Amino acid sequence: MRIPISRLVKELNLEAHQLREREKRDWLGEVVKDPKHNYQRVYTEEQVERIQLIAETIQAQRAQGIKRTDFE
């Protein structure tokens, strides 16, 4: 099952530009643009889990005063 970006940003309380930036950094793997969803980016369940992990890690690091995160 693939989840469109519009639904994902609402469910995870993220901004679309954050997901696109993580995609540019190649943290999410290949992201598909689905013609059935008006060519929106759609994410696999594995990618959603990774997005959640990244968001939690960034939030925890910011709470510790760490401003930059590198997942490479």
Side-chain angles (χ1 to χ4, degrees), residues 17-43:
H17 71 88
Q18 292 172 309
L19 292 176
R20 289 191 296 271
E21 182 62 32
R22 292 167 189 170
E23 179 184 340
K24 285 180 194 175
R25 293 179 184 205
D26 200 28
W27 291 354
L28 306 178
E30 184 179 350
V31 177
V32 176
K33 294 182 182 179
D34 188 357
K36 294 178 184 177
H37 289 98
N38 201 25
Y39 291 94
Q40 287 187 54
R41 288 169 165 81
V42 289
Y43 299 90

Side-chain angles (χ1 to χ4, degrees), residues 42-66:
V42 289
Y43 299 90
T44 64
E45 291 180 27
E46 181 180 301
Q47 288 171 317
V48 172
E49 289 175 14
R50 185 158 177 83
I51 291 165
Q52 288 174 317
L53 174 64
I54 291 168
E56 290 169 5
T57 301
I58 290 171
Q59 187 176 28
Q61 288 180 342
R62 287 191 178 154
Q64 296 174 357
I66 300 170

